[in-house]
């Protein structure tokens, strides 16, 4: 087998090596079943066990209260941009959007195709490098909104909410795609929290939605069935064929988190250590490296930065690649570099990048 390199891609992204190895080992024949998970009926007892166990592990890891449903859906996080207002934004009501980066901006513009939407805060003036203050939010939130929407980690700008915004009694909806399962949360604060799997918890193809029961039950009757949370939930996410393989790999990731990492508290500790390695190099570089997000809201998952001297960018990327550090190019809207250091990125990978950055600085100062 070719040696693996460290993959800092924003998504689809790095998966835990033990997960890949187990999927590979069992790919041709699941133990005790004799056929591949790729070939099995979603109506079989085996697949039912896979999806049930995936949900049970997730409930355990995230401590999800009983009055919340877990759904495994298709269409990516982007479908949720439309499905949420289709289900939860009735005529005569409006929804509040907190726009802190590319993904919340996109979610808001998609929601506008479905109903009345208010932008309560927009960080575009400074190219989304910070978050609203609680006071700015309080001044603008609508206490009668159908819901308040935010993106807990902006994957492109590397801006992350350290805690949930305070929105009173209004149901809080969160796109957690690029941080899902990175730290313990109090799920009871949310009306809904959702994530596509391919950033922090699995391969592309499945989107995990955790939603309070009363909101699930609020779906109007006139929707196409697969776009109704209520109908999908009543059918155990299997109104139609689910993304079986993606759900299976998600199950392996949850097992890895429970057994190898040792739970979500341990995961969080590790994630903090990893991010500190990179931010320390940036902060101690005397301006050689410049981070995008302001310090108080820097992401533990996506670290966008640049070199003050833009002429060094190509050289940095080429040399990093030669060291086995790949996919470090920044998004075109921010420029420079972006290191995505999701749950599955090992500490050694981040350490290697931090060492490379220091060495590159020394050689090019
Ligand atoms: C990647 C991403 C999306 C889009 O996900 P798709 O599954 O490609 O639709 C949405 N929100 C956030 C925060 C993301 O990182």
């Amino acid at each position: 087998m070719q040696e693996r390199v460290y993959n800092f891609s924003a998504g689809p992204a790095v998966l835990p090596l033990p997960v890949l190895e187990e999927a590979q080992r069992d790919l041709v024949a699941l133990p005790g079943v004799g056929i591949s998970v790729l070939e099995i009926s979603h109506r079989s007892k085996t697949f039912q066990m896979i999806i049930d166990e995936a949900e049970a592990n997730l409930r355990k890891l995230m401590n999800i209260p009983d009055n919340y449903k877990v759904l495994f859906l298709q269409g990516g996080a982007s479908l949720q941009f439309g499905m949420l207002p289709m289900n939860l934004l009735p005529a005569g009501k409006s929804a509040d959007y907190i726009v802190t980066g590319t993904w919340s901006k996109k979610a808001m513009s998609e929601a506008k195709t479905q109903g009345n939407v208010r932008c309560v805060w927009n960080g575009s003036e400074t190219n989304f490098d910070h978050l609203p203050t609680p006071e700015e939010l309080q001044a603008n939130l609508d206490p009668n909104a159908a819901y308040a929407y935010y993106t807990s980690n902006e994957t492109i700008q590397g801006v992350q909410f350290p805690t949930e915004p305070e929105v009173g009694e209004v149901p809080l909806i969160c796109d957690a795609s690029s941080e899902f399962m990175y730290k313990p949360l109090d799920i009871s604060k949310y009306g809904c929290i959702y994530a596509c799997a391919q950033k922090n918890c699995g391969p592309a193809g499945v989107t995990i939605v955790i939603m309070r029961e009363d909101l699930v039950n609020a779906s109007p009757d006139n929707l196409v069935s697969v776009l109704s949370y209520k109908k999908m939930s009543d059918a155990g996410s299997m109104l139609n064929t689910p993304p079986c393989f993606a759900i299976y790999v998600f199950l392996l990731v949850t097992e890895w988190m429970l057994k190898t990492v040792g739970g979500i508290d341990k995961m969080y500790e590790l994630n903090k250590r990893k991010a500190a390695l990179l931010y320390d190099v940036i902060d101690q570089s005397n301006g050689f490296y410049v981070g995008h997000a302001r310090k108080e809201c820097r992401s533990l998952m996506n670290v966008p930065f640049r070199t003050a001297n833009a002429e060094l960018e190509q050289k940095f990327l080429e040399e990093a690649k030669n060291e086995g550090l790949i996919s470090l190019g920044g998004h075109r809207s921010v420029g420079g570099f972006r290191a995505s250091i999701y749950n599955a990125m090992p500490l050694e990978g981040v350490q290697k990048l931090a060492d490379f950055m220091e060495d590159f600085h020394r050689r090019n100062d």
Side-chain angles (χ1 to χ4, degrees), residues 75-79 81 103 151 153 155 175 177-178 196 198-199 207:
S78 297
L79 183 59
F81 296 169
W103 289 114
T151 301
N153 182 62
T155 321
D175 174 1
S177 289
S178 50
C196 54
Q198 75 271 16
K199 308 289 170 60
T207 297

Side-chain angles (χ1 to χ4, degrees), residues 3 12 44-45 52 123 237 327 330 338 353:
E3 204 185 326
S44 65
K45 227 165 93 186
D52 287 348
S237 302
S327 299
R338 171 174 48 169
L353 174 59

Side-chain angles (χ1 to χ4, degrees), residues 263-314:
I264 205 147
D265 294 296
K266 292 266 170 57
M267 192 79 258
Y268 187 36
E269 286 311 309
L270 188 60
N271 283 329
K272 283 192 282 193
R273 277 177 68 196
K274 290 187 311 192
L277 287 175
L278 298 188
Y279 287 123
D280 283 351
V281 172
I282 292 169
D283 292 343
Q284 288 162 17
S285 71
N286 290 321
F288 182 82
Y289 295 114
V290 184
H292 179 72
R294 294 186 192 169
K295 275 189 187 177
E296 67 277 7
C297 57
R298 296 199 289 208
S299 170
L300 300 195
M301 302 279 104
N302 309 96
V303 182
F305 62 98
R306 57 189 172 78
T307 40
N309 175 0
E311 280 168 24
L312 291 171
E313 276 175 22
Q314 216 38 47

Side-chain angles (χ1 to χ4, degrees), residues 99-105 121-131 154 156-159 292-294 297 333-334:
V99 179
T100 53
T102 304
W103 289 114
S104 44
K105 186 176 163 200
W121 191 85
N122 189 327
S124 64
E125 243 169 60
T126 55
N127 198 12
F128 300 117
D129 65 352
H130 69 292
L131 296 172
E154 287 286 356
I156 292 173
Q157 287 80 13
V159 165
H292 179 72
R294 294 186 192 169
C297 57
S333 62
V334 178

